[in-house]
Structures are given as structure tokens and as C-alpha cells.
Amino acid sequence: MFRDRADAGRQLVDLLDREDVEGDVVLAIPRGGLPVARPVADYLGARLDVVVASKIGAPDNPELAIGAATGDGSSWLNEDVIERLGVPSEYVDREREIENAREKVEKYRGGRGPPDLAEKRVVIVDDGIATGATVRACLQQVADMGAERVTLAVPVGSPSILEDLWVVADEVVAVESPPHFSAVGQFYEDFGQVSDEEAMTYLDDERSGDE
């Protein structure tokens, strides 16, 4: 159990220390991933930036992800879920979600270009993993940008989803992976929504840096 996202970040740092995880760049998934990622970046002495994916929700159930699209124009679709639900191909509006992701990237980076990930050790951080759709799209995007090694680090996640993510990550570490997982929020005492404005404060030192 975590008191809040800041506490989750501190506990994640302890785990990374025990596991000897190293990284040159830390990428947080906004919004909730930024409060967790800040102490991780500080511990690693790494630049903190963002990686963004926009969830593609199922018809009549937008909270159920059938895929995700990233700001660089790539996307990942859960073909098994799409087939099971009988989602028509014309429903999957990738272009709209790609544009949503691009707009969020621009908002968070404030005109800065993306970090150079070529031959870098990259640690991707979120506040928890439930379905894994957005993080899978993010992991694929980072791998496509030439990262040498990609580690996914989260406070908590579904055991089955975390295991699946080893396919697209070089390493997956989680403080907790409880067998009876239902939602990320159940493992936080305070899991209040993080606004874009609050989330961006964790990037302030990066945004005013030497880029």
C-alpha cells in the first residue's frame, strides 16, 4: 500500500536500488506517472521527460482499452479484444488518438524536441499498470527510437499484464504485483486525480534547462 504517488516513487526508488537498475533517461507517462517518476529521475541522476499514448476505448465502454496511439504516429491494437468484442475496423480511429497524443506531448514539452534515446538506457515510469495498453504503445515507441535498454518501473501492476510486458521491455520491475489485482487505485490511500498543471511542475527544472 502507498500513501500517495510521492510515497510510491520513494518505494520504487528503493526497489531500483536493490535491483541495481540504471538509466540515462526517465520517461513518465502523464499525468499520474510524473509524481512517481520525479524521485526516480533524481535517484538515477537522469533527465526526466514524458512519453505519451492516448487510449483507444471500446465502443460503449471507453474505459476498456482496445489499443493506444502515440504522438509519433505509431499505435498498438489489442487484436484479441477487438475480435472478441466484434469491434468494426472503421471504429478504430487511430488518427484522432494520435492527434490527441501529439497535443499532450506539445503541452508537456512546451516546444522542446523529444530526447535523444539512441543507445540510451531508458526507464519508463507510471503510477500503476492495469490493462497495459498505453504503456505497451509507449514501450514500443521508445524501442523504435533506438533505446539500448528499456526498463518499465511501476509501483504496482496486474501480474498477468506485467508478465506480458516482458515481450516489449528488456526489464519489468514492480514494487507490488498482487494476485488479486482489480484497479491501481486500490493500492493507494490517496489516488486523487493529477491535473496537467500539477504534473508539469515536476518537469519545471527540465523545461527551463539547457535544451
Side-chain angles (χ1 to χ4, degrees):
M1 178 67 74
F2 311 102
R3 288 193 300 276
D4 53 21
R5 290 179 176 87
D7 177 52
R10 289 188 291 269
Q11 292 194 44
L12 188 54
V13 164
D14 290 341
L15 175 62
L16 297 181
D17 185 54
R18 293 195 301 272
E19 298 290 332
D20 293 323
V21 173
E22 298 180 334
D24 304 305
V25 180
V26 175
L27 299 179
I29 300 178
R31 297 177 299 241
L34 276 159
V36 181
R38 182 73 262 174
V40 171
D42 292 343
Y43 162 72
L44 293 173
R47 171 179 173 177
L48 176 60
D49 209 296
V50 295
V51 59
V52 177
S54 183
K55 179 176 66 177
I56 303 172
D60 304 320
N61 186 3
E63 293 305 310
L64 175 61
I66 60 172
T70 64
D72 72 344
S74 62
S75 60
W76 174 79
L77 298 177
N78 190 329
E79 300 292 352
D80 291 339
V81 173
I82 290 172
E83 182 178 355
R84 176 164 52 83
L85 297 178
V87 179
S89 58
E90 60 270 19
Y91 170 83
V92 182
D93 189 350
R94 302 188 199 194
E95 294 305 316
R96 180 186 64 187
E97 299 307 335
I98 287 171
E99 185 58 33
N100 287 343
R102 283 176 177 156
E103 289 176 0
K104 179 166 280 192
V105 167
E106 175 63 25
K107 184 173 187 177
Y108 275 79
R109 290 209 174 117
R112 289 184 298 114
D116 178 11
L117 303 183
E119 300 183 356
K120 297 290 199 311
R121 298 165 300 177
V122 180
V123 179
I124 295 179
V125 178
D126 203 357
D127 55 10
I129 305 295
T131 66
T134 55
V135 74
R136 185 182 287 265
C138 290
L139 285 164
Q140 188 59 60
Q141 178 186 1
V142 170
D144 291 344
M145 292 174 71
E148 176 184 297
R149 181 175 179 83
V150 183
T151 299
L152 173 64
V154 294
V156 63
S158 160
S160 60
I161 298 299
L162 291 174
E163 183 176 353
D164 289 344
L165 290 172
W166 277 94
V167 175
V168 283
D170 296 298
E171 185 175 17
V172 178
V173 294
V175 178
E176 296 185 20
S177 54
H180 302 296
F181 180 95
S182 60
V184 172
Q186 76 183 101
F187 299 97
Y188 285 82
E189 294 175 11
D190 177 4
F191 196 61
Q193 189 175 48
V194 179
S195 67
D196 284 323
E197 291 70 25
E198 177 189 350
M200 284 188 287
T201 64
Y202 296 95
L203 290 171
D204 279 351
D205 55 346
E206 301 291 340
R207 289 158 64 90
S208 60
D210 58 2
E211 286 294 306

